[in-house]
Amino acid sequence: WWDTIVALFWCVSFVLLIVATACASPSCAINRANLSQRLVWMSWSTRVLVPFAILLVFPIRLLVDWDGLSQDTCAVTVNSALGTDGFDTSAAIAGLRQQGFLGPNVEGLPTNFATSSDEALKAIQSWCVAIGDDWYEVFFVQTLPCVYELQNSCRQSPPCVSATDVALLDTCLRNCLALVPNVGQCSGISSGLYTVESVLSSTAAWGTSGASTATTKGLGMVALSNQQATVIQLGERAELMVPMAEYIVGVFIAIRTGALLLTAALSVLGGLAEALLNVKALFPESQQVSWLLVLTVAEAVPVYAALGSMLLQLLGDHVFAITTVLTVAYVSLSGITGMRILRLRSGALERWKLYKKIWMEYALRTVLLIGMVLTLVLFVRDRAPWLRNSMNALQPVVLLIQSLVDYLPRKSLLAIAGTDAALSATLQSDIWRQGWSPDDAQRNEVTLHELSSLILPKLAVRARVADDGF
């Protein structure tokens, strides 16, 4: 459903852009300039800002029925524990509950598991819904350890210790409490501690009258102890399944969110840089635009460097380190270009100098991009086979094409809208300055000279020399 919503946003953005283009045609550009500007910004907002706003305030993971998943996990796990072959756990729980050894929390569990598996499963599901998130604590920490402890104590009682009949031995193994119901109470049930060693030690006194009988008892108790340990481990792993499922689903949603929003974030940086360069081409002598470009890139570079460092420490090596360094260099190029075009003057010749520096930046970007792709391919091929298998399933070529198709239109759209915004800001600033009164202009000049003499003394001396005509 999310892909459908994204496609809807894309269609709305495309329609708005078409209408804005029509309003910007030569015959309508003057009369409908403001409408065209608003439509361009609406198109960009629909394509970029709306997904950011939705994913920022609405966690998609909440759409998953986590309570239902917990209840299903409870039902399946308890059903497996009660249906264990060779040991009638449901009958033992029913007997202990009638004797008052178990609390009311086990009310609702099936007392005769062998009658109907469907009815038993429905009863377990109802019990899981009623008990809520405490199902593991109640069943696997409190109930089962008590049942196992009393069963093992029961097997040390005289009827089972002296048993030689096979049928009697089977009863002692399956449900000893039915044979000897009063064996005492559970010790330390609140702690819920249970280990295989405790079961093996509690069976040491279970008779040795006759070699065949001793062999039968020994094999039965080994199988029983292993079975009990398996059931307890099943509960422990089932308890971790729900939070692990939450983490896995969360990571998957985060990856999809990153794939959607990362291209949007990159397009903002690239589109703003392109817009500022367009304004610089109109006013080559203006340094404010160049400094704004430098500061914009300076804000973005630490963020990308931090993300690259996190990925490098998480799963990278020396090859991946080269990829992260090239990525940071790729992001920093616009700032370097902004520093290189600070001292341009007005005129066609200076404008051609600007174009050459921009073309040099594009050439460097191409080289860095090729290096990033090559090092990333080497890393995936040689250092991370598990990632290679995942990438094969994701079809990296298709994913790369989709990312480019998603990135380039967003960047171009923001470059258009950003050029309009940056140009409007520049014009408003200059017009505002031209409207200053003589007193305001003089005070501003005095402030500039005083601050420049403190912060930029060399530049201030050079300006005074120029004013004196030397």
Side-chain angles (χ1 to χ4, degrees):
W1 64 269
W2 177 251
D3 293 336
T4 304
I5 294 178
V6 173
L8 178 62
F9 289 155
W10 186 90
C11 292
V12 173
S13 175
F14 182 75
V15 171
L16 292 174
L17 185 60
I18 292 297
V19 177
T21 304
C23 293
S25 60
S27 59
C28 305
I30 297 178
N31 297 328
R32 299 180 180 178
N34 292 332
L35 178 60
S36 178
Q37 294 174 358
R38 294 191 184 96
L39 290 174
V40 169
W41 278 107
M42 290 174 60
S43 176
W44 179 80
S45 301
T46 305
R47 187 73 185 278
V48 178
L49 291 186
V50 174
F52 268 97
I54 293 177
L55 295 173
L56 185 63
V57 300
F58 178 70
I60 297 179
R61 61 185 302 276
L62 294 182
L63 297 176
V64 180
D65 186 9
W66 298 113
D67 292 335
L69 177 61
S70 177
Q71 293 166 8
D72 292 342
T73 303
C74 166
V76 172
T77 308
V78 174
N79 180 69
S80 299
L82 293 178
T84 305
D85 294 334
F87 183 61
D88 194 353
T89 307
S90 60
I93 292 176
L96 291 175
R97 186 174 58 197
Q98 292 177 358
Q99 298 178 44
F101 291 162
L102 301 178
N105 288 331
V106 294
E107 292 288 344
L109 289 175
T111 58
N112 191 353
F113 192 81
T115 54
S116 174
S117 58
D118 294 336
E119 294 181 1
L121 183 58
K122 291 180 180 179
I124 294 173
Q125 289 175 343
S126 301
W127 178 82
C128 291
V129 172
I131 204 66
D133 294 334
D134 296 331
W135 62 271
Y136 174 78
E137 180 73 20
V138 172
F139 189 82
F140 285 96
V141 177
Q142 297 178 1
T143 303
L144 278 188
C146 179
V147 172
Y148 291 157
E149 179 182 348
L150 294 183
Q151 288 277 20
N152 295 331
S153 298
C154 173
R155 295 184 186 98
Q156 299 178 22
S157 60
C160 290
V161 171
S162 59
T164 57
D165 183 65
V166 175
L168 183 59
L169 291 176
D170 182 70
T171 302
C172 289
L173 284 173
R174 288 183 177 275
N175 188 12
C176 182
L177 296 179
L179 183 65
V180 186
N182 299 316
V183 293
Q185 297 183 355
C186 301
S187 60
I189 184 175
S190 59
S191 62
L193 298 178
Y194 170 78
T195 60
V196 180
E197 290 77 8
S198 64
V199 177
L200 294 177
S201 62
S202 66
T203 61
W206 194 27
T208 57
S209 58
S212 60
T213 303
T215 301
T216 302
K217 293 178 180 180
L219 293 176
M221 285 309 299
V222 169
L224 180 64
S225 62
N226 291 333
Q227 191 178 58
Q228 292 175 351
T230 301
V231 172
I232 295 296
Q233 292 174 359
L234 173 66
E236 294 174 350
R237 295 174 181 176
E239 183 196 21
L240 297 176
M241 191 179 76
V242 175
M244 289 300 297
E246 291 191 30
Y247 294 143
I248 293 173
V249 172
V251 169
F252 177 76
I253 295 176
I255 292 175
R256 292 295 303 271
T257 302
L260 175 65
L261 300 184
L262 185 59
T263 53
L266 288 173
S267 67
V268 170
L269 179 60
L272 285 178
E274 193 75 22
L276 293 174
L277 290 175
N278 291 336
V279 177
K280 182 67 175 180
L282 293 174
F283 304 99
E285 69 281 1
S286 176
Q287 284 197 344
Q288 287 87 345
V289 178
S290 301
W291 282 117
L292 184 58
L293 178 60
V294 173
L295 294 177
T296 301
V297 176
E299 291 178 353
V301 168
V303 177
Y304 288 100
L307 292 175
S309 300
M310 291 171 57
L311 292 176
L312 177 63
Q313 301 302 324
L314 179 64
L315 48 82
D317 57 2
H318 297 293
V319 178
F320 192 76
I322 299 175
T323 305
T324 57
V325 171
L326 293 178
T327 303
V328 174
Y330 182 89
V331 177
S332 306
L333 277 180
S334 295
I336 298 174
T337 301
M339 294 295 296
R340 297 178 66 231
I341 60 178
L342 277 172
R343 303 187 182 280
L344 293 178
R345 299 293 182 178
S346 60
L349 182 60
E350 295 295 312
R351 188 173 286 108
W352 276 109
K353 291 181 180 180
L354 171 65
Y355 293 153
K356 289 180 180 179
K357 295 180 186 296
I358 295 175
W359 293 336
M360 178 62 69
E361 177 188 341
Y362 289 160
L364 291 176
R365 284 185 182 276
T366 303
V367 174
L368 291 176
L369 184 60
I370 294 175
M372 291 161 54
V373 173
L374 291 178
T375 53
L376 187 60
V377 169
L378 290 176
F379 167 73
V380 173
R381 186 190 67 180
D382 299 334
R383 301 288 183 174
W386 59 272
L387 186 59
R388 181 177 66 248
N389 297 333
S390 302
M391 292 298 292
N392 290 335
L394 291 175
Q395 298 179 346
V397 177
V398 177
L399 184 62
L400 180 60
I401 295 175
Q402 290 177 348
S403 300
L404 289 176
V405 170
D406 192 31
Y407 168 78
L408 293 176
R410 290 182 179 183
K411 176 187 174 183
S412 302
L413 185 60
L414 184 59
I416 298 172
T419 300
D420 176 74
L423 183 59
S424 299
T426 303
L427 294 176
Q428 291 178 23
S429 177
D430 290 342
I431 293 174
W432 176 265
R433 182 185 295 271
Q434 292 175 6
W436 285 356
S437 64
D439 293 337
D440 293 337
Q442 184 178 3
R443 282 193 294 267
N444 184 69
E445 290 295 329
V446 171
T447 304
L448 286 177
H449 285 297
E450 290 177 353
L451 291 177
S452 61
S453 61
L454 293 175
I455 301 175
L456 302 170
K458 294 182 179 180
L459 187 61
V461 171
R462 192 178 305 167
R464 285 196 297 269
V465 171
D467 292 339
D468 294 337
F470 293 101

